Amino acid sequence: MPYILSTQAMDGFYGTFYKTTIAMRKQIAAANWKMNGTYQQAESLLNEILQAKIALKPFQEVIFAVPFPYLIMSNSVVANEYHYHISAQNCYHKASGAFTGEVSAEMLRSIGIRYCVIGHSERREYFGEDNALLAGKADLCLKNEITPLFCCGEPLAVRESGNQNQYVADQIEASLFHLNKEDFSRVIIAYEPIWAIGTGKTAAAEQAQEMHSFIRSTLKKKYGEETAAATPILYGGSVKANNAAELFACEDVDGGLVGGASLAADDFIEIVKALKG
Ligand code: PEP
């Protein structure tokens, strides 16, 4: 849904009129490489995708969430590409200290990283990350001028019980609704039903649209129409080259967070080309 970016008064022969600039909210294809590939494979994959020279519109972006050891290299590969950004897949929920093996938001910022995935269901499940802990990560990201790419989504049992809306609203409220409007306006949301991640079982376009529209209405109640209309809400869960266009065409689906299919250049290029525009 387009939203009004600015309204500018202009004087002309017929008096004052208003030039309204309508902008699309950001449409984003985000790759989540997870713990896959070597440094050399990561470098070739990035270069292969960039060589496709996809014609992106001003409001379209591509984000690669790469493993920590590849962040600096990846950032330098995309350095001259206006629409391409690099993201971390995680950061720690404390600012600094004796947390051996962890990586802070400040460290990410110090190497020029401006995006970080937080709350991926794999981190919630395997590393016990809960909504309260993720609130701390969101704060630290924002404090360090890093855009959090916040993942939410229900497990199969919740979907089968019909309580998915409440479950997802609770995740968003508990981790993000303490943010003021200005900070929240820097957040990207990714709705990823757990039953669709890595399973090959994609949510139907109607299911995705229904949830995305519900999320947007939840954001509207808290932050108002303008902020809700401008927040990118990505869909994740077995997005592939052959289903991306149908999912992304949904009014409230602003692109995707893509796992498996982001590891093959040809597939991911097709997914980027499927962005609304
Ligand atoms: C993900 O890891 O966020 C994801 C959506 O994975 P996949 O596309 O493989 O389902």
PDB file of all heavy atoms in Angstrom, residues 32 34 120 122 192 196-199 236-240 257-261, ligand 1:
ATOM      1  N   ASN A  32      18.792 -15.379   4.430  1.00  0.00           N
ATOM      2  CA  ASN A  32      19.328 -15.861   5.708  1.00  0.00           C
ATOM      3  C   ASN A  32      20.145 -17.119   5.415  1.00  0.00           C
ATOM      4  O   ASN A  32      19.585 -18.191   5.212  1.00  0.00           O
ATOM      5  CB  ASN A  32      18.169 -16.175   6.676  1.00  0.00           C
ATOM      6  CG  ASN A  32      18.688 -16.742   7.989  1.00  0.00           C
ATOM      7  OD1 ASN A  32      19.867 -16.631   8.301  1.00  0.00           O
ATOM      8  ND2 ASN A  32      17.798 -17.357   8.763  1.00  0.00           N
ATOM      9  N   LYS A  34      22.100 -18.703   7.353  1.00  0.00           N
ATOM     10  CA  LYS A  34      22.268 -19.573   8.529  1.00  0.00           C
ATOM     11  C   LYS A  34      23.728 -20.024   8.636  1.00  0.00           C
ATOM     12  O   LYS A  34      24.627 -19.272   8.280  1.00  0.00           O
ATOM     13  CB  LYS A  34      21.306 -20.762   8.463  1.00  0.00           C
ATOM     14  CG  LYS A  34      19.879 -20.349   8.115  1.00  0.00           C
ATOM     15  CD  LYS A  34      18.883 -21.435   8.358  1.00  0.00           C
ATOM     16  CE  LYS A  34      17.536 -21.005   7.816  1.00  0.00           C
ATOM     17  NZ  LYS A  34      16.425 -21.815   8.253  1.00  0.00           N
ATOM     18  N   HIS A 120      15.012 -15.062  15.449  1.00  0.00           N
ATOM     19  CA  HIS A 120      14.710 -16.156  14.520  1.00  0.00           C
ATOM     20  C   HIS A 120      14.238 -17.364  15.322  1.00  0.00           C
ATOM     21  O   HIS A 120      14.729 -17.619  16.422  1.00  0.00           O
ATOM     22  CB  HIS A 120      15.962 -16.502  13.694  1.00  0.00           C
ATOM     23  CG  HIS A 120      15.634 -17.401  12.540  1.00  0.00           C
ATOM     24  ND1 HIS A 120      15.462 -18.754  12.696  1.00  0.00           N
ATOM     25  CD2 HIS A 120      15.410 -17.138  11.228  1.00  0.00           C
ATOM     26  CE1 HIS A 120      15.153 -19.284  11.514  1.00  0.00           C
ATOM     27  NE2 HIS A 120      15.113 -18.317  10.611  1.00  0.00           N
ATOM     28  N   GLU A 122      14.814 -20.385  15.106  1.00  0.00           N
ATOM     29  CA  GLU A 122      15.866 -21.348  15.480  1.00  0.00           C
ATOM     30  C   GLU A 122      16.594 -20.884  16.737  1.00  0.00           C
ATOM     31  O   GLU A 122      16.991 -21.692  17.568  1.00  0.00           O
ATOM     32  CB  GLU A 122      16.838 -21.539  14.304  1.00  0.00           C
ATOM     33  CG  GLU A 122      16.203 -22.361  13.193  1.00  0.00           C
ATOM     34  CD  GLU A 122      16.714 -22.066  11.792  1.00  0.00           C
ATOM     35  OE1 GLU A 122      17.790 -21.457  11.663  1.00  0.00           O
ATOM     36  OE2 GLU A 122      16.019 -22.447  10.834  1.00  0.00           O
ATOM     37  N   GLU A 192       7.327 -15.369  10.218  1.00  0.00           N
ATOM     38  CA  GLU A 192       7.807 -16.676   9.759  1.00  0.00           C
ATOM     39  C   GLU A 192       7.095 -17.781  10.537  1.00  0.00           C
ATOM     40  O   GLU A 192       7.527 -18.136  11.643  1.00  0.00           O
ATOM     41  CB  GLU A 192       9.304 -16.799  10.007  1.00  0.00           C
ATOM     42  CG  GLU A 192      10.141 -15.758   9.314  1.00  0.00           C
ATOM     43  CD  GLU A 192      11.549 -16.272   9.060  1.00  0.00           C
ATOM     44  OE1 GLU A 192      12.260 -16.607  10.021  1.00  0.00           O
ATOM     45  OE2 GLU A 192      11.913 -16.373   7.890  1.00  0.00           O
ATOM     46  N   ALA A 196       6.459 -23.557   8.544  1.00  0.00           N
ATOM     47  CA  ALA A 196       6.809 -23.368   7.128  1.00  0.00           C
ATOM     48  C   ALA A 196       8.318 -23.208   6.920  1.00  0.00           C
ATOM     49  O   ALA A 196       8.790 -23.187   5.793  1.00  0.00           O
ATOM     50  CB  ALA A 196       6.082 -22.145   6.574  1.00  0.00           C
ATOM     51  N   ILE A 197       9.088 -23.102   8.020  1.00  0.00           N
ATOM     52  CA  ILE A 197      10.533 -22.846   7.870  1.00  0.00           C
ATOM     53  C   ILE A 197      11.286 -24.130   7.582  1.00  0.00           C
ATOM     54  O   ILE A 197      11.255 -25.071   8.385  1.00  0.00           O
ATOM     55  CB  ILE A 197      11.112 -22.166   9.131  1.00  0.00           C
ATOM     56  CG1 ILE A 197      10.431 -20.815   9.350  1.00  0.00           C
ATOM     57  CG2 ILE A 197      12.623 -21.994   9.007  1.00  0.00           C
ATOM     58  CD1 ILE A 197      10.932 -20.072  10.568  1.00  0.00           C
ATOM     59  N   GLY A 198      11.920 -24.165   6.422  1.00  0.00           N
ATOM     60  CA  GLY A 198      12.757 -25.301   6.048  1.00  0.00           C
ATOM     61  C   GLY A 198      11.964 -26.581   5.811  1.00  0.00           C
ATOM     62  O   GLY A 198      12.539 -27.666   5.696  1.00  0.00           O
ATOM     63  N   THR A 199      10.650 -26.482   5.723  1.00  0.00           N
ATOM     64  CA  THR A 199       9.819 -27.680   5.581  1.00  0.00           C
ATOM     65  C   THR A 199       9.329 -27.872   4.156  1.00  0.00           C
ATOM     66  O   THR A 199       8.801 -28.929   3.825  1.00  0.00           O
ATOM     67  CB  THR A 199       8.560 -27.558   6.473  1.00  0.00           C
ATOM     68  OG1 THR A 199       7.847 -26.376   6.080  1.00  0.00           O
ATOM     69  CG2 THR A 199       8.934 -27.473   7.946  1.00  0.00           C
ATOM     70  N   GLY A 236       8.429 -15.139   5.740  1.00  0.00           N
ATOM     71  CA  GLY A 236       9.478 -16.165   5.650  1.00  0.00           C
ATOM     72  C   GLY A 236       8.899 -17.539   5.908  1.00  0.00           C
ATOM     73  O   GLY A 236       8.006 -17.697   6.753  1.00  0.00           O
ATOM     74  N   GLY A 237       9.425 -18.520   5.202  1.00  0.00           N
ATOM     75  CA  GLY A 237       8.955 -19.900   5.363  1.00  0.00           C
ATOM     76  C   GLY A 237       8.817 -20.547   4.003  1.00  0.00           C
ATOM     77  O   GLY A 237       7.779 -20.410   3.359  1.00  0.00           O
ATOM     78  N   SER A 238       9.919 -21.216   3.579  1.00  0.00           N
ATOM     79  CA  SER A 238       9.933 -21.930   2.304  1.00  0.00           C
ATOM     80  C   SER A 238       9.558 -21.049   1.109  1.00  0.00           C
ATOM     81  O   SER A 238       8.847 -21.486   0.202  1.00  0.00           O
ATOM     82  CB  SER A 238       9.034 -23.171   2.374  1.00  0.00           C
ATOM     83  OG  SER A 238       9.526 -24.067   3.344  1.00  0.00           O
ATOM     84  N   VAL A 239      10.044 -19.801   1.125  1.00  0.00           N
ATOM     85  CA  VAL A 239       9.901 -18.963  -0.079  1.00  0.00           C
ATOM     86  C   VAL A 239      10.852 -19.538  -1.126  1.00  0.00           C
ATOM     87  O   VAL A 239      12.023 -19.804  -0.846  1.00  0.00           O
ATOM     88  CB  VAL A 239      10.260 -17.490   0.205  1.00  0.00           C
ATOM     89  CG1 VAL A 239      10.250 -16.669  -1.094  1.00  0.00           C
ATOM     90  CG2 VAL A 239       9.295 -16.882   1.217  1.00  0.00           C
ATOM     91  N   LYS A 240      10.339 -19.757  -2.320  1.00  0.00           N
ATOM     92  CA  LYS A 240      11.135 -20.309  -3.424  1.00  0.00           C
ATOM     93  C   LYS A 240      10.929 -19.450  -4.666  1.00  0.00           C
ATOM     94  O   LYS A 240      10.015 -18.618  -4.700  1.00  0.00           O
ATOM     95  CB  LYS A 240      10.671 -21.747  -3.755  1.00  0.00           C
ATOM     96  CG  LYS A 240      10.622 -22.695  -2.561  1.00  0.00           C
ATOM     97  CD  LYS A 240      12.001 -23.175  -2.159  1.00  0.00           C
ATOM     98  CE  LYS A 240      11.933 -24.022  -0.894  1.00  0.00           C
ATOM     99  NZ  LYS A 240      13.103 -23.997  -0.065  1.00  0.00           N
ATOM    100  N   LEU A 257      11.932 -13.155   3.870  1.00  0.00           N
ATOM    101  CA  LEU A 257      13.171 -13.606   4.522  1.00  0.00           C
ATOM    102  C   LEU A 257      13.341 -15.048   4.054  1.00  0.00           C
ATOM    103  O   LEU A 257      12.473 -15.892   4.299  1.00  0.00           O
ATOM    104  CB  LEU A 257      13.051 -13.508   6.042  1.00  0.00           C
ATOM    105  CG  LEU A 257      14.264 -13.979   6.863  1.00  0.00           C
ATOM    106  CD1 LEU A 257      15.538 -13.232   6.475  1.00  0.00           C
ATOM    107  CD2 LEU A 257      14.013 -13.770   8.361  1.00  0.00           C
ATOM    108  N   VAL A 258      14.443 -15.299   3.370  1.00  0.00           N
ATOM    109  CA  VAL A 258      14.577 -16.547   2.619  1.00  0.00           C
ATOM    110  C   VAL A 258      15.757 -17.353   3.129  1.00  0.00           C
ATOM    111  O   VAL A 258      16.891 -16.865   3.132  1.00  0.00           O
ATOM    112  CB  VAL A 258      14.783 -16.224   1.112  1.00  0.00           C
ATOM    113  CG1 VAL A 258      14.767 -17.497   0.292  1.00  0.00           C
ATOM    114  CG2 VAL A 258      13.750 -15.233   0.617  1.00  0.00           C
ATOM    115  N   GLY A 259      15.521 -18.579   3.534  1.00  0.00           N
ATOM    116  CA  GLY A 259      16.599 -19.444   4.006  1.00  0.00           C
ATOM    117  C   GLY A 259      17.170 -20.258   2.857  1.00  0.00           C
ATOM    118  O   GLY A 259      17.995 -19.780   2.068  1.00  0.00           O
ATOM    119  N   GLY A 260      16.710 -21.506   2.735  1.00  0.00           N
ATOM    120  CA  GLY A 260      17.269 -22.461   1.766  1.00  0.00           C
ATOM    121  C   GLY A 260      17.487 -21.896   0.366  1.00  0.00           C
ATOM    122  O   GLY A 260      18.567 -22.045  -0.214  1.00  0.00           O
ATOM    123  N   ALA A 261      16.462 -21.240  -0.176  1.00  0.00           N
ATOM    124  CA  ALA A 261      16.547 -20.777  -1.567  1.00  0.00           C
ATOM    125  C   ALA A 261      17.505 -19.602  -1.745  1.00  0.00           C
ATOM    126  O   ALA A 261      17.796 -19.210  -2.879  1.00  0.00           O
ATOM    127  CB  ALA A 261      15.158 -20.397  -2.077  1.00  0.00           C
TER     128      ALA A 261
HETATM  129  C1  PEP B   1      14.491 -18.798   7.482  1.00  0.00           C
HETATM  130  O1  PEP B   1      15.486 -19.378   7.841  1.00  0.00           O
HETATM  131  O2  PEP B   1      14.232 -17.710   7.965  1.00  0.00           O
HETATM  132  C2  PEP B   1      13.637 -19.432   6.480  1.00  0.00           C
HETATM  133  C3  PEP B   1      12.509 -18.850   6.174  1.00  0.00           C
HETATM  134  O3  PEP B   1      14.093 -20.588   5.925  1.00  0.00           O
HETATM  135  P1  PEP B   1      13.468 -21.324   4.631  1.00  0.00           P
HETATM  136  O4  PEP B   1      13.289 -20.299   3.569  1.00  0.00           O
HETATM  137  O5  PEP B   1      14.465 -22.368   4.256  1.00  0.00           O
HETATM  138  O6  PEP B   1      12.152 -21.924   5.039  1.00  0.00           O
END
